[in-house]
Amino acid sequence: MSTHSQAHSQQPHVTGSREITWAQAVREALAEELRRDPTVFLIGEDVAEAGTPFKVTSGLVQEFGPERIVDAPISEAGFSGLAVGAAMAGLRPVVDIMFGDFLMIVMDQVANQAAKVHYMSGGKWRVPIVFRTNMGATRRSAAQHSQSLQAWPSHIPGLKVAIPATPYDAKGLLKTAIRDNNPVVFFEDKLSYQMVGPVPLEEYTLPFGQADVKRAGRDITLVATSSMVQVALQAAAGLSSLGIEAEVIDPRTTVPLDRHTIVESVKRTSRALVLDEGYQSYGVTAEIAAVIAEEAFYYLDAPVQRMGALDVPVPFSPALEDLTVPTVEKVVNAARLLCGPDRGAQ
Amino acid sequence: MTTDVIMPVLGMAQDSGVLVRWLKQPGQSVARGEILFEVETDKAVQEIEAQASGILGPWLAREGEVVPVTQVVAQLYAPGELLPAALAPGPLSAATLPKAAAVAATPLAARMAAAHDIDLAKVQTESGKVQKADVLAYLAATEQRPAGRILASPKARRLAGERHLDLAGLQGSGPGGAVLAADVLAWRPPVVEKPVPVAQEVRPPGAVGKADDMPMIPTSHTWQRMAERTTQAWISTPQFYLQRRALAPRLVEWLHGARSRSTQKVTVSDLLVMACARCLALHPQVNRSWQDGRLVAFSSINVGLAVALEDGLVVPVIHHADRLSLHEIAHARAELAARAREGRLRSGDVTDGTITISNLGMFGVDRFLAILNPPQAAILAAGAIRDEVVPLNGQPAVQPVIDLTVTFDHRVVDGAIAARFLQTLAAIVEEPLRLLEQAPPLPH
């Protein structure tokens, strides 16, 4: 799984320049793959006529019909198991898990079945399946609809995990996920569906395990995933006005993880702050911080710091909920401290 | 019946107060509501009233003392109640106070001291009462003391290791004084070994003003480094000096001969570089250094030559001088000196010297003591070659002589090793042909 990506930004080369929303980009990815491969189908709650609560799959049932855009009853474990079986039988299901929090219900199908069938069958069975779900708080959805659980599937061998941060990355990575012969859990930030970004007209895919340098800088590396990429970029802009140039690295997939790009960046900047919206303890940030400590130790000029969500159930109260996630201000302050008293002191 | 007078709790987070001033003397009659004493907290000074009427007993806390809240500071006795003789009215003497009460401090300072487990008695203060700044100064002083592991980032450790720098000698700018990469990179190699005689305006006695009143002379980076490096060497190196006069007719003869034979201008310094390099080869014990508590050997012989510039002193280094011919030495010296005067010295030109020569002979200086150039173990101070009356074969004779003074680091060499080194050096100066002899060190 190890990859050696080039440390350059994978910004889209748009020939026919246009900007579309995240929801449109994901819908395009699904539609293109549905057209391209007749074995691909979509299953989940409210995916057909309703087009999901976030209107991501709107219109697909009109083009591909109810046999390929399947509305399932409220029975995540059941339709996930169905999909795992369908994948073993040769189809390519895209399972829509309406909220990332519902992964708990299907965790046996994901972690014990989908992730292990290829191994336990001695390679005779494969499970080309995508569990498309979401993460992210501050949508006032309360404790059971606001969690960012990307660390859970990332912990299980046999699963790949994509966690894009832009419409461009979401489309390119989702197409790769659907074509992958292994189970993939695909996380999208709930607040990103209306995010607008450049997406090429022509078809493209993005490789897994290749981080994207979202911003180049020399003083500190901000490793950020999904929702935290925008936070990191805004923080970097603020830090720049203080004389601190932050590099923002988006791993884009937690499994496989592009250790090389992260480590090489930290070797140059000597400082790292890792951001992810999952709970901080035992989280994605901890894993990436450990990678940095292991592979860039002798280049570190400050302790590796991580910043995730507070280890609390996500509050419904907006005032409290906003306190639980890393913010631009928190990132700026943490980065300034890491860069030392002489930096950003103006 | 007696009533205890206590240090009151005046604030939420207050655990002590300073008893600023007593307003009643022991033995004085006090009415309830009268002001007994004043207390200072970090917020304000407050007057404390008597909670009962009575006769004030002896002060149990001195003015200026930090007293924990609720601690008894005095007692009020009922009228007519007999005071214990030992507690008879009278100003409390320091001797009768408990030892812990001897240090005056502000509440904030006392709290900081407690938090850091500092004995207030050890904190120095100029105001007579320990202030927050005094505690901070104490903390800073004790933190900088190199005890145990030196705080440094992994990157700083690696960089220091690659540069053979001792972390203990670096000033850390990180949290808790930790050495960071920037501190290692900011370190500059020693470029200075002795103060240059500088003409200074001499003020008549009594006219010397304070620094604030005196005009500041702008100094260059080179000058600053010279000040820092000489100070460091002077303070941290146990230096001793050996002096020897060498007869110089053969040296002068060699100099004139070499000048007539070479297109490159040859100087006395060039001859001394060659002699010193040979001496180090013959006395490898001197080509060593005391670093980080250990004796280490330099791997090559590189001779530095002090060059005085307008804005300070630099010491360009002639590398591997022991392998160079006199012509090559002269050529290298001329080029380095030219680069130094033009401010074009590269870092490689001034690093890795293993001995330094300072020659003030051209200024007519007979002899002088030079300050070591760390991490080197020796520096040669060469005086002017001049005619002196010397005994020669039992008769006074006039001969050119040169006074050689070598400063040594006593952690690297002892007097005997140093003396043999100087003996060889003088012997070469007196008979430069010895350079041609691939002989072992001179017998001693």
Side-chain angles (χ1 to χ4, degrees):
Chain A
M1 280 198 185
S2 77
T3 55
H4 292 279
S5 71
Q6 305 304 307
H8 59 73
S9 183
Q10 295 276 323
Q11 287 314 303
H13 303 286
V14 183
T15 49
S17 181
R18 59 157 187 170
E19 299 221 331
I20 59 175
T21 65
W22 182 297
Q24 285 173 303
V26 168
R27 190 183 309 134
E28 279 188 5
L30 291 168
E32 286 173 19
E33 293 308 300
L34 282 159
R35 282 181 209 122
R36 175 179 175 273
D37 184 346
T39 67
V40 175
F41 73 100
L42 190 56
I43 188 167
E45 293 155 9
D46 285 343
V47 295
E49 293 298 337
T52 78
F54 305 103
K55 305 302 170 201
V56 174
T57 60
S58 299
L60 293 181
V61 70
Q62 280 76 17
E63 179 177 352
F64 300 102
E67 290 191 343
R68 297 185 69 196
I69 309 297
V70 183
D71 261 340
I74 300 176
S75 58
E76 286 86 358
F79 67 74
S80 293
L82 177 154
V84 170
M88 290 166 68
L91 298 183
R92 289 186 178 270
V94 177
V95 182
D96 193 292
I97 305 291
M98 192 183 285
F99 284 89
D101 313 70
F102 304 165
L103 270 177
M104 278 80 154
I105 307 168
V106 302
M107 213 54 179
D108 183 66
Q109 292 302 332
V110 174
N112 262 340
Q113 310 307 328
K116 296 186 171 62
V117 163
H118 184 71
Y119 173 77
M120 295 195 73
S121 67
K124 290 190 175 133
W125 298 96
R126 56 187 202 190
V127 189
I129 190 170
V130 176
F131 295 93
R132 232 197 100 239
T133 189
N134 54 36
M135 43 77 57
T138 67
R139 193 177 162 272
R140 320 310 177 210
S141 302
Q144 296 159 319
H145 295 74
S146 302
Q147 296 172 95
S148 301
L149 300 174
Q150 51 271 25
W152 287 32
S154 300
H155 186 62
I156 302 297
L159 299 176
K160 294 184 180 179
V161 180
I163 181 163
T166 65
Y168 170 80
D169 291 347
K171 181 179 178 185
L173 290 170
L174 183 55
K175 286 166 69 75
T176 301
I178 293 170
R179 297 181 193 185
D180 200 298
N181 285 334
N182 299 287
V184 175
V185 185
F186 198 92
F187 286 92
E188 300 166 31
D189 174 24
K190 290 191 248 342
L191 289 181
S192 294
Y193 287 116
Q194 294 313 310
M195 174 200 287
V196 173
V199 176
L201 280 168
E202 67 266 35
E203 188 181 13
Y204 69 97
T205 60
L206 291 174
F208 276 26
Q210 195 172 100
D212 184 32
V213 181
K214 291 282 196 272
R215 182 188 195 277
R218 61 171 189 275
D219 298 324
I220 183 170
T221 299
L222 306 177
V223 184
T225 64
S226 185
S227 54
M228 290 298 110
V229 171
Q230 292 305 321
V231 171
L233 286 171
Q234 288 174 43
L239 287 166
S240 183
S241 66
L242 298 171
I244 297 172
E245 294 303 329
E247 182 147 302
V248 178
I249 306 269
D250 174 9
R252 299 199 289 198
T253 54
T254 53
V255 184
L257 179 66
D258 181 358
R259 301 160 72 103
H260 180 78
T261 299
I262 296 169
V263 167
E264 289 307 309
S265 171
V266 176
K267 281 184 178 176
R268 279 187 290 104
T269 62
S270 301
R271 294 175 174 83
L273 173 59
V274 188
L275 303 161
D276 176 78
E277 205 185 321
Y279 298 128
Q280 178 164 304
S281 296
Y282 302 94
V284 168
T285 54
E287 174 63 23
I288 295 174
V291 165
I292 294 168
E294 285 166 356
E295 299 188 23
F297 184 80
Y298 293 105
Y299 296 83
L300 288 173
D301 210 18
V304 184
Q305 195 174 333
R306 66 207 156 109
M307 203 184 282
L310 293 186
D311 294 320
V312 295
V314 179
F316 178 63
S317 152
L320 292 178
E321 184 179 24
D322 291 346
L323 291 176
T324 65
V325 295
T327 60
V328 173
E329 190 186 5
K330 287 181 194 171
V331 173
V332 167
N333 287 336
R336 285 178 65 175
L337 285 175
L338 285 178
C339 288
D342 298 338
R343 305 299 304 274
Q346 296 93 320
Chain B
M1 113 145 229
T2 58
T3 307
D4 287 341
V5 177
I6 62 167
M7 173 61 66
V9 181
L10 299 170
M12 288 244 300
Q14 181 204 352
D15 50 17
S16 65
V18 181
L19 198 157
V20 179
R21 192 158 69 97
W22 281 103
L23 296 163
K24 296 290 179 189
Q25 295 295 320
Q28 216 174 339
S29 181
V30 177
R32 180 190 162 104
E34 276 190 285
I35 310 297
L36 270 180
F37 58 96
E38 290 175 350
V39 170
E40 182 189 350
T41 66
D42 5 359
K43 296 190 183 69
V45 174
Q46 292 197 25
E47 297 174 331
I48 306 304
E49 299 174 357
Q51 299 297 310
S53 299
I55 295 165
L56 185 65
W59 298 341
L60 300 178
R62 202 167 48 161
E63 290 183 348
E65 184 183 340
V66 182
V67 183
V69 296
T70 75
Q71 182 170 305
V72 176
V73 296
Q75 287 179 313
L76 288 168
Y77 294 85
E81 193 174 16
L82 190 64
L83 297 181
L87 303 180
L92 196 59
S93 77
T96 65
L97 286 167
K99 196 167 176 359
V103 182
T106 65
L108 184 57
R111 200 156 60 222
M112 288 172 62
H116 289 91
D117 207 17
I118 295 171
D119 181 359
L120 271 175
K122 290 183 181 163
V123 181
Q124 298 206 340
T125 175
E126 284 183 8
S127 63
K129 185 194 269 188
V130 177
Q131 314 272 339
K132 171 186 171 186
D134 299 325
V135 178
L136 286 177
Y138 179 85
L139 276 172
T142 49
E143 269 176 19
Q144 280 170 9
R145 210 168 289 155
R149 184 172 169 85
I150 296 158
L151 285 180
S153 80
K155 183 176 185 179
R157 281 184 194 283
R158 178 174 59 83
L159 293 175
E162 287 168 0
R163 287 160 175 72
H164 307 292
L165 294 179
D166 181 3
L167 282 171
L170 296 171
Q171 188 75 35
S173 65
V179 178
L180 300 182
D183 303 323
V184 180
L185 296 173
W187 188 86
R188 287 291 169 269
V191 292
V192 155
E193 89 294 352
K194 63 172 183 50
V196 169
V198 179
Q200 283 185 341
E201 184 191 353
V202 178
R203 287 165 176 251
V208 178
K210 283 181 289 190
D212 290 349
D213 310 332
M214 297 161 68
M216 198 185 83
I217 313 299
T219 48
S220 66
H221 182 69
T222 305
W223 196 273
Q224 289 284 345
R225 295 301 299 168
M226 177 181 78
E228 290 164 17
R229 297 292 303 161
T230 48
T231 303
Q232 190 201 339
W234 186 255
I235 291 170
S236 64
T237 323
Q239 319 196 5
F240 69 99
Y241 314 90
L242 296 188
Q243 292 198 311
R244 189 165 174 143
R245 174 167 296 182
L247 299 177
R250 298 279 290 129
L251 190 74
V252 173
E253 193 182 321
W254 182 27
L255 182 67
H256 293 322
R259 276 180 178 167
S260 68
R261 289 186 291 271
S262 176
T263 51
Q264 180 73 52
K265 193 197 174 204
V266 178
T267 66
V268 176
S269 292
D270 298 333
L271 306 184
L272 292 174
V273 167
M274 196 166 201
C276 270
R278 172 56 60 89
C279 274
L280 280 184
L282 294 173
H283 300 270
Q285 306 103 308
V286 182
N287 205 37
R288 290 175 180 169
S289 176
W290 187 262
Q291 291 182 25
D292 200 13
R294 288 171 307 174
L295 191 59
V296 294
F298 291 120
S299 56
S300 55
I301 292 173
N302 306 321
V303 181
L305 203 53
V307 175
L309 304 176
E310 285 286 313
D311 61 351
L313 187 68
V314 291
V315 186
V317 173
I318 298 166
H319 293 89
H320 300 291
D322 56 325
R323 300 186 203 161
L324 302 180
S325 68
L326 182 62
H327 180 80
E328 288 168 328
I329 288 172
H331 183 73
R333 187 261 313 143
E335 203 163 284
L336 285 168
R339 281 219 285 277
R341 284 187 197 98
E342 292 160 22
R344 291 189 296 109
L345 281 177
R346 298 183 281 258
S347 72
D349 291 340
V350 293
T351 50
D352 300 329
T354 66
I355 192 170
T356 297
I357 297 173
S358 181
N359 183 0
L360 294 181
M362 62 287 262
F363 297 109
V365 173
D366 288 346
R367 72 195 71 81
F368 64 103
L369 311 178
I371 299 176
L372 272 174
N373 185 6
Q376 301 167 16
I379 177 169
L380 167 65
I385 297 175
R386 65 206 186 276
D387 284 344
E388 289 277 346
V389 179
V390 294
L392 199 66
N393 300 324
Q395 294 293 322
V398 175
Q399 290 247 320
V401 301
I402 181 169
D403 283 344
L404 306 170
T405 308
V406 185
T407 308
F408 293 95
D409 182 343
H410 214 310
R411 299 168 302 178
V412 179
V413 296
D414 61 17
I417 294 171
R420 283 180 216 129
F421 175 86
L422 186 53
Q423 188 178 24
T424 304
L425 184 63
I428 291 173
V429 167
E430 293 192 341
E431 179 43 88
L433 278 176
R434 285 183 188 275
L435 288 169
L436 294 176
E437 300 168 6
Q438 297 297 320
L442 293 176
H444 37 78

